[in-house]
Amino acid sequence: MSSDDSAATAVLAAYAVGDLSDHLAPEAVHQAKSTLLDTFGVALAARNSELVRILQETHPGDGRRSGALIWTSRARASAEIAAMVNGATAHALDFDDTNESIRGHVGATLWPTILALAEGSGASGKAMIEAYIVGVRSAVAIADGMMIDSHYGKGWHSTSTVGVLAATCAASRLAGLDVNKVRNALGIAGSMASGSRQNFGTLTKPFHAGVAARNAVLAARLAKAGLNADQTVLEGPLGYYALFDGRGRVAQLAASLRQPWTPSRHGVSLKRYALCYNLQRICEAVLSICEGGAVSPDNVVRVDATIEPEGKAPFIQRRPTTGLECKFSPQYAVAALITGRGLTPMDFDNTILDDEAVNALMRRVEVHESHAPPIGEREWSEGFAVVSIELKTGEKLCRRVDAPKGHWGAPFTRQELSDKFAGCVALGFPGCDSARLEQAIWSIDTVDQFSGFSDVE
């Protein structure tokens, strides 16, 4: 595999349709299945959300008996429409997985793309897992080729800007494209990469994931039909890296694709709480402190949370006014936990800010960034949260969390995955046999021709 800076798009295209025998580590296959379970579950949980209502009103399906399934409505539509609706739905509750290497979500773009295409083509479960692994590794490699923190800091939502190219790689593999057509597909997708973080805290934020999935399906299908595009979309002087980063480290992309699968680079973290992933560490630290029973809403003087540099970037809602905005507010998350409120998908309606105790506590919460944690080892990997709660007695209670439950370094057990999935399914489809559906997902690699998951009723 060449690392020539002038051939980044060709390198990525060759990888997308190449031999994966060295990249099918058991850990990677397990991740594929567990993230399919998680993605499908959190999507079903969003069935009664406002976003899904709007999507079903505007995209009810077209009455066809074949085609790709819209998961929450059980209607069928084109692969593009199903991928869009399912991708947005999977991200609707902000309860889906994340990958720190891309500073974004991967399951909500990859699995809706893969399932929509697989249903129409009768692809095998093994091919679907390979497409997922290609998608994750491509996402990490694309991010490695740019200054991802700078890209994210400028306001781009990498879930969609990186995700559309990664999902296009996955779609191209499933569609059976050759390298030349994959390069065209990437060129098409590069012109559809989008997503502004200004929309965090609105229904458009999860819609980004759906747009990325739809555009990936569309790019692969158009390229297969013969639509051409510039074949140097990544490295070209007016291409993806030039537009989104100012400069690309495209040799890093090739180097990334050569690396073996590792959890620290290619692993994903699942969520325990239905809100921004950068809040998960803070939440776990607060809960750990509160378990001692010394903390109550009335005896808290102030709460200080210290997190890693650039860790506050997603927290654009210091004083939220809606339930959605609360998902990106550390002030709300801390106050909610101290007052005994939950952070489940059911806990973010617009009445939550009517609680005066919550509002009073929010004014006592401050968040700071630091290169070194104020307690414990100075070293840290992806991030950290140190929470200090000062009580009226003068006592200060501190906890540090680097890897919250669900993080790739502290993964859910099989039972914890099952419990989350069952809870999610029960929210959207109370009568569904979640155990049967779960078994179908865990055994996806044994399926010769995928025709969809039919056990949701």
PDB file of all heavy atoms in Angstrom, residues 16 20 25 28 32 44 74 92 106 115 138 179 210 214 254 273 280 290 313 317 322 334 350 374 388-389 413 420 435:
ATOM      1  N   ALA A  16     -10.912  -0.177   0.783  1.00  0.00           N
ATOM      2  CA  ALA A  16     -12.345  -0.422   0.953  1.00  0.00           C
ATOM      3  C   ALA A  16     -12.786  -1.725   0.309  1.00  0.00           C
ATOM      4  O   ALA A  16     -13.695  -2.399   0.821  1.00  0.00           O
ATOM      5  CB  ALA A  16     -13.147   0.746   0.381  1.00  0.00           C
ATOM      6  N   LEU A  20      -9.425  -8.267   3.539  1.00  0.00           N
ATOM      7  CA  LEU A  20      -9.529  -7.877   4.945  1.00  0.00           C
ATOM      8  C   LEU A  20      -9.043  -8.965   5.899  1.00  0.00           C
ATOM      9  O   LEU A  20      -9.255  -8.854   7.106  1.00  0.00           O
ATOM     10  CB  LEU A  20     -10.979  -7.558   5.299  1.00  0.00           C
ATOM     11  CG  LEU A  20     -11.548  -6.189   4.963  1.00  0.00           C
ATOM     12  CD1 LEU A  20     -12.923  -6.052   5.597  1.00  0.00           C
ATOM     13  CD2 LEU A  20     -10.646  -5.063   5.420  1.00  0.00           C
ATOM     14  N   ALA A  25     -10.048  -9.312  13.231  1.00  0.00           N
ATOM     15  CA  ALA A  25      -9.738  -9.790  14.576  1.00  0.00           C
ATOM     16  C   ALA A  25     -11.043 -10.117  15.300  1.00  0.00           C
ATOM     17  O   ALA A  25     -12.063  -9.473  15.069  1.00  0.00           O
ATOM     18  CB  ALA A  25      -8.970  -8.720  15.349  1.00  0.00           C
ATOM     19  N   ALA A  28     -12.728  -7.170  16.717  1.00  0.00           N
ATOM     20  CA  ALA A  28     -13.400  -6.306  15.749  1.00  0.00           C
ATOM     21  C   ALA A  28     -14.761  -6.876  15.364  1.00  0.00           C
ATOM     22  O   ALA A  28     -15.739  -6.131  15.212  1.00  0.00           O
ATOM     23  CB  ALA A  28     -12.524  -6.130  14.507  1.00  0.00           C
ATOM     24  N   ALA A  32     -18.469  -5.252  15.969  1.00  0.00           N
ATOM     25  CA  ALA A  32     -19.467  -5.072  14.920  1.00  0.00           C
ATOM     26  C   ALA A  32     -20.838  -5.530  15.408  1.00  0.00           C
ATOM     27  O   ALA A  32     -21.850  -4.827  15.259  1.00  0.00           O
ATOM     28  CB  ALA A  32     -19.054  -5.841  13.669  1.00  0.00           C
ATOM     29  N   LEU A  44     -34.812   1.956  18.015  1.00  0.00           N
ATOM     30  CA  LEU A  44     -36.166   1.532  18.377  1.00  0.00           C
ATOM     31  C   LEU A  44     -36.687   2.320  19.574  1.00  0.00           C
ATOM     32  O   LEU A  44     -37.877   2.637  19.651  1.00  0.00           O
ATOM     33  CB  LEU A  44     -36.178   0.032  18.682  1.00  0.00           C
ATOM     34  CG  LEU A  44     -35.843  -0.912  17.527  1.00  0.00           C
ATOM     35  CD1 LEU A  44     -36.015  -2.360  17.962  1.00  0.00           C
ATOM     36  CD2 LEU A  44     -36.680  -0.627  16.284  1.00  0.00           C
ATOM     37  N   ARG A  74     -41.829   0.389  10.315  1.00  0.00           N
ATOM     38  CA  ARG A  74     -41.981  -0.898   9.635  1.00  0.00           C
ATOM     39  C   ARG A  74     -42.459  -0.744   8.200  1.00  0.00           C
ATOM     40  O   ARG A  74     -42.840  -1.727   7.558  1.00  0.00           O
ATOM     41  CB  ARG A  74     -42.931  -1.844  10.400  1.00  0.00           C
ATOM     42  CG  ARG A  74     -42.703  -1.903  11.901  1.00  0.00           C
ATOM     43  CD  ARG A  74     -41.259  -2.237  12.266  1.00  0.00           C
ATOM     44  NE  ARG A  74     -40.890  -3.600  11.907  1.00  0.00           N
ATOM     45  CZ  ARG A  74     -39.616  -4.031  11.822  1.00  0.00           C
ATOM     46  NH1 ARG A  74     -38.634  -3.186  12.025  1.00  0.00           N
ATOM     47  NH2 ARG A  74     -39.359  -5.271  11.516  1.00  0.00           N
ATOM     48  N   ALA A  92     -31.127   9.970  17.407  1.00  0.00           N
ATOM     49  CA  ALA A  92     -32.134  10.902  17.914  1.00  0.00           C
ATOM     50  C   ALA A  92     -32.033  11.132  19.414  1.00  0.00           C
ATOM     51  O   ALA A  92     -32.269  12.247  19.895  1.00  0.00           O
ATOM     52  CB  ALA A  92     -33.536  10.394  17.561  1.00  0.00           C
ATOM     53  N   VAL A 106     -20.151   6.537  15.054  1.00  0.00           N
ATOM     54  CA  VAL A 106     -19.951   5.712  13.861  1.00  0.00           C
ATOM     55  C   VAL A 106     -21.124   4.775  13.580  1.00  0.00           C
ATOM     56  O   VAL A 106     -21.516   4.587  12.430  1.00  0.00           O
ATOM     57  CB  VAL A 106     -18.629   4.911  13.939  1.00  0.00           C
ATOM     58  CG1 VAL A 106     -17.435   5.836  13.774  1.00  0.00           C
ATOM     59  CG2 VAL A 106     -18.516   4.140  15.256  1.00  0.00           C
ATOM     60  N   LEU A 115     -27.305  -1.843   6.481  1.00  0.00           N
ATOM     61  CA  LEU A 115     -28.549  -2.616   6.488  1.00  0.00           C
ATOM     62  C   LEU A 115     -29.444  -2.255   5.315  1.00  0.00           C
ATOM     63  O   LEU A 115     -30.085  -3.130   4.722  1.00  0.00           O
ATOM     64  CB  LEU A 115     -29.296  -2.416   7.812  1.00  0.00           C
ATOM     65  CG  LEU A 115     -29.012  -3.469   8.890  1.00  0.00           C
ATOM     66  CD1 LEU A 115     -27.563  -3.396   9.356  1.00  0.00           C
ATOM     67  CD2 LEU A 115     -29.950  -3.311  10.078  1.00  0.00           C
ATOM     68  N   SER A 138     -11.850   3.053   8.021  1.00  0.00           N
ATOM     69  CA  SER A 138     -11.763   4.180   7.086  1.00  0.00           C
ATOM     70  C   SER A 138     -12.006   5.493   7.812  1.00  0.00           C
ATOM     71  O   SER A 138     -11.315   6.490   7.557  1.00  0.00           O
ATOM     72  CB  SER A 138     -12.777   4.013   5.951  1.00  0.00           C
ATOM     73  OG  SER A 138     -12.484   2.868   5.173  1.00  0.00           O
ATOM     74  N   VAL A 179     -12.037  -0.460  -7.691  1.00  0.00           N
ATOM     75  CA  VAL A 179     -11.312   0.672  -7.109  1.00  0.00           C
ATOM     76  C   VAL A 179     -11.637   1.963  -7.838  1.00  0.00           C
ATOM     77  O   VAL A 179     -11.827   3.026  -7.205  1.00  0.00           O
ATOM     78  CB  VAL A 179      -9.794   0.407  -7.117  1.00  0.00           C
ATOM     79  CG1 VAL A 179      -9.024   1.669  -6.715  1.00  0.00           C
ATOM     80  CG2 VAL A 179      -9.451  -0.731  -6.171  1.00  0.00           C
ATOM     81  N   GLY A 210     -28.271  10.844   9.678  1.00  0.00           N
ATOM     82  CA  GLY A 210     -29.120  10.322   8.617  1.00  0.00           C
ATOM     83  C   GLY A 210     -28.727  10.827   7.247  1.00  0.00           C
ATOM     84  O   GLY A 210     -28.728  10.074   6.266  1.00  0.00           O
ATOM     85  N   ARG A 214     -27.622   8.487   4.121  1.00  0.00           N
ATOM     86  CA  ARG A 214     -28.288   8.604   2.813  1.00  0.00           C
ATOM     87  C   ARG A 214     -27.298   8.931   1.711  1.00  0.00           C
ATOM     88  O   ARG A 214     -27.313   8.325   0.623  1.00  0.00           O
ATOM     89  CB  ARG A 214     -29.352   9.700   2.875  1.00  0.00           C
ATOM     90  CG  ARG A 214     -30.085   9.935   1.543  1.00  0.00           C
ATOM     91  CD  ARG A 214     -30.726  11.309   1.499  1.00  0.00           C
ATOM     92  NE  ARG A 214     -29.739  12.383   1.519  1.00  0.00           N
ATOM     93  CZ  ARG A 214     -30.025  13.657   1.703  1.00  0.00           C
ATOM     94  NH1 ARG A 214     -31.273  14.035   1.884  1.00  0.00           N
ATOM     95  NH2 ARG A 214     -29.072  14.571   1.704  1.00  0.00           N
ATOM     96  N   ALA A 254      -2.672   6.389   4.978  1.00  0.00           N
ATOM     97  CA  ALA A 254      -2.187   5.083   4.554  1.00  0.00           C
ATOM     98  C   ALA A 254      -1.559   4.318   5.714  1.00  0.00           C
ATOM     99  O   ALA A 254      -1.772   3.113   5.873  1.00  0.00           O
ATOM    100  CB  ALA A 254      -1.165   5.246   3.424  1.00  0.00           C
ATOM    101  N   TYR A 273     -25.653   6.823  29.694  1.00  0.00           N
ATOM    102  CA  TYR A 273     -26.628   7.897  29.850  1.00  0.00           C
ATOM    103  C   TYR A 273     -26.958   8.488  28.474  1.00  0.00           C
ATOM    104  O   TYR A 273     -26.086   8.567  27.600  1.00  0.00           O
ATOM    105  CB  TYR A 273     -26.075   9.004  30.757  1.00  0.00           C
ATOM    106  CG  TYR A 273     -25.481   8.489  32.042  1.00  0.00           C
ATOM    107  CD1 TYR A 273     -24.095   8.437  32.214  1.00  0.00           C
ATOM    108  CD2 TYR A 273     -26.293   8.038  33.070  1.00  0.00           C
ATOM    109  CE1 TYR A 273     -23.543   7.952  33.384  1.00  0.00           C
ATOM    110  CE2 TYR A 273     -25.747   7.552  34.243  1.00  0.00           C
ATOM    111  CZ  TYR A 273     -24.365   7.508  34.395  1.00  0.00           C
ATOM    112  OH  TYR A 273     -23.822   7.015  35.551  1.00  0.00           O
ATOM    113  N   GLN A 280     -20.317  11.840  29.976  1.00  0.00           N
ATOM    114  CA  GLN A 280     -20.412  10.551  30.653  1.00  0.00           C
ATOM    115  C   GLN A 280     -19.433  10.443  31.828  1.00  0.00           C
ATOM    116  O   GLN A 280     -19.777   9.925  32.895  1.00  0.00           O
ATOM    117  CB  GLN A 280     -20.170   9.401  29.671  1.00  0.00           C
ATOM    118  CG  GLN A 280     -21.016   9.441  28.407  1.00  0.00           C
ATOM    119  CD  GLN A 280     -22.467   9.044  28.630  1.00  0.00           C
ATOM    120  OE1 GLN A 280     -22.768   8.062  29.297  1.00  0.00           O
ATOM    121  NE2 GLN A 280     -23.386   9.811  28.056  1.00  0.00           N
ATOM    122  N   CYS A 290     -22.039  10.888  45.096  1.00  0.00           N
ATOM    123  CA  CYS A 290     -23.353  10.886  45.727  1.00  0.00           C
ATOM    124  C   CYS A 290     -23.691   9.555  46.394  1.00  0.00           C
ATOM    125  O   CYS A 290     -24.560   9.502  47.274  1.00  0.00           O
ATOM    126  CB  CYS A 290     -24.432  11.234  44.708  1.00  0.00           C
ATOM    127  SG  CYS A 290     -24.377  12.959  44.145  1.00  0.00           S
ATOM    128  N   ALA A 313     -15.750  21.581  24.124  1.00  0.00           N
ATOM    129  CA  ALA A 313     -16.219  21.940  22.780  1.00  0.00           C
ATOM    130  C   ALA A 313     -17.671  21.549  22.513  1.00  0.00           C
ATOM    131  O   ALA A 313     -18.423  22.330  21.920  1.00  0.00           O
ATOM    132  CB  ALA A 313     -15.294  21.339  21.718  1.00  0.00           C
ATOM    133  N   GLN A 317     -24.286  24.471  25.439  1.00  0.00           N
ATOM    134  CA  GLN A 317     -25.488  24.881  26.153  1.00  0.00           C
ATOM    135  C   GLN A 317     -25.209  25.001  27.653  1.00  0.00           C
ATOM    136  O   GLN A 317     -25.429  24.078  28.423  1.00  0.00           O
ATOM    137  CB  GLN A 317     -26.629  23.876  25.914  1.00  0.00           C
ATOM    138  CG  GLN A 317     -26.976  23.661  24.450  1.00  0.00           C
ATOM    139  CD  GLN A 317     -27.502  24.917  23.781  1.00  0.00           C
ATOM    140  OE1 GLN A 317     -27.893  25.863  24.450  1.00  0.00           O
ATOM    141  NE2 GLN A 317     -27.503  24.928  22.461  1.00  0.00           N
ATOM    142  N   THR A 322     -34.267  23.946  26.620  1.00  0.00           N
ATOM    143  CA  THR A 322     -35.101  22.824  26.176  1.00  0.00           C
ATOM    144  C   THR A 322     -34.488  21.520  26.662  1.00  0.00           C
ATOM    145  O   THR A 322     -33.311  21.467  27.046  1.00  0.00           O
ATOM    146  CB  THR A 322     -35.219  22.773  24.644  1.00  0.00           C
ATOM    147  OG1 THR A 322     -33.934  22.415  24.088  1.00  0.00           O
ATOM    148  CG2 THR A 322     -35.675  24.090  24.068  1.00  0.00           C
ATOM    149  N   VAL A 334     -25.107  17.608  36.010  1.00  0.00           N
ATOM    150  CA  VAL A 334     -24.698  17.553  37.406  1.00  0.00           C
ATOM    151  C   VAL A 334     -25.894  17.830  38.329  1.00  0.00           C
ATOM    152  O   VAL A 334     -26.138  17.101  39.304  1.00  0.00           O
ATOM    153  CB  VAL A 334     -23.562  18.564  37.680  1.00  0.00           C
ATOM    154  CG1 VAL A 334     -23.292  18.674  39.177  1.00  0.00           C
ATOM    155  CG2 VAL A 334     -22.296  18.143  36.934  1.00  0.00           C
ATOM    156  N   ASN A 350     -39.412  18.832  27.818  1.00  0.00           N
ATOM    157  CA  ASN A 350     -39.197  20.260  28.049  1.00  0.00           C
ATOM    158  C   ASN A 350     -39.677  20.762  29.405  1.00  0.00           C
ATOM    159  O   ASN A 350     -39.544  21.943  29.710  1.00  0.00           O
ATOM    160  CB  ASN A 350     -39.867  21.078  26.930  1.00  0.00           C
ATOM    161  CG  ASN A 350     -39.111  20.963  25.619  1.00  0.00           C
ATOM    162  OD1 ASN A 350     -37.927  20.625  25.607  1.00  0.00           O
ATOM    163  ND2 ASN A 350     -39.790  21.219  24.524  1.00  0.00           N
ATOM    164  N   PRO A 374      -6.258  17.408  38.195  1.00  0.00           N
ATOM    165  CA  PRO A 374      -5.864  17.953  39.497  1.00  0.00           C
ATOM    166  C   PRO A 374      -5.615  16.892  40.565  1.00  0.00           C
ATOM    167  O   PRO A 374      -5.005  17.189  41.594  1.00  0.00           O
ATOM    168  CB  PRO A 374      -7.035  18.854  39.885  1.00  0.00           C
ATOM    169  CG  PRO A 374      -8.184  18.362  39.088  1.00  0.00           C
ATOM    170  CD  PRO A 374      -7.615  17.815  37.823  1.00  0.00           C
ATOM    171  N   SER A 388     -15.332  17.959  41.842  1.00  0.00           N
ATOM    172  CA  SER A 388     -15.200  18.334  43.249  1.00  0.00           C
ATOM    173  C   SER A 388     -16.495  18.997  43.698  1.00  0.00           C
ATOM    174  O   SER A 388     -16.931  19.981  43.095  1.00  0.00           O
ATOM    175  CB  SER A 388     -14.018  19.289  43.443  1.00  0.00           C
ATOM    176  OG  SER A 388     -13.981  19.793  44.759  1.00  0.00           O
ATOM    177  N   ILE A 389     -17.108  18.436  44.728  1.00  0.00           N
ATOM    178  CA  ILE A 389     -18.331  19.002  45.279  1.00  0.00           C
ATOM    179  C   ILE A 389     -18.028  19.562  46.669  1.00  0.00           C
ATOM    180  O   ILE A 389     -17.610  18.836  47.569  1.00  0.00           O
ATOM    181  CB  ILE A 389     -19.449  17.951  45.369  1.00  0.00           C
ATOM    182  CG1 ILE A 389     -19.769  17.390  43.966  1.00  0.00           C
ATOM    183  CG2 ILE A 389     -20.709  18.552  45.997  1.00  0.00           C
ATOM    184  CD1 ILE A 389     -20.870  16.338  43.955  1.00  0.00           C
ATOM    185  N   THR A 413     -20.573  -5.623  29.951  1.00  0.00           N
ATOM    186  CA  THR A 413     -20.611  -7.071  29.846  1.00  0.00           C
ATOM    187  C   THR A 413     -21.709  -7.466  28.856  1.00  0.00           C
ATOM    188  O   THR A 413     -22.547  -6.643  28.460  1.00  0.00           O
ATOM    189  CB  THR A 413     -20.912  -7.719  31.199  1.00  0.00           C
ATOM    190  OG1 THR A 413     -22.242  -7.326  31.611  1.00  0.00           O
ATOM    191  CG2 THR A 413     -19.895  -7.278  32.257  1.00  0.00           C
ATOM    192  N   LYS A 420     -29.393  -3.119  28.341  1.00  0.00           N
ATOM    193  CA  LYS A 420     -29.624  -1.844  27.659  1.00  0.00           C
ATOM    194  C   LYS A 420     -30.516  -2.048  26.443  1.00  0.00           C
ATOM    195  O   LYS A 420     -31.462  -1.281  26.204  1.00  0.00           O
ATOM    196  CB  LYS A 420     -28.307  -1.189  27.242  1.00  0.00           C
ATOM    197  CG  LYS A 420     -28.516   0.135  26.506  1.00  0.00           C
ATOM    198  CD  LYS A 420     -27.217   0.800  26.063  1.00  0.00           C
ATOM    199  CE  LYS A 420     -27.508   2.066  25.264  1.00  0.00           C
ATOM    200  NZ  LYS A 420     -26.272   2.740  24.775  1.00  0.00           N
ATOM    201  N   ALA A 435     -35.421 -10.593  23.341  1.00  0.00           N
ATOM    202  CA  ALA A 435     -34.425 -11.666  23.421  1.00  0.00           C
ATOM    203  C   ALA A 435     -34.267 -12.356  22.069  1.00  0.00           C
ATOM    204  O   ALA A 435     -33.148 -12.686  21.650  1.00  0.00           O
ATOM    205  CB  ALA A 435     -34.829 -12.674  24.494  1.00  0.00           C
TER     206      ALA A 435
END
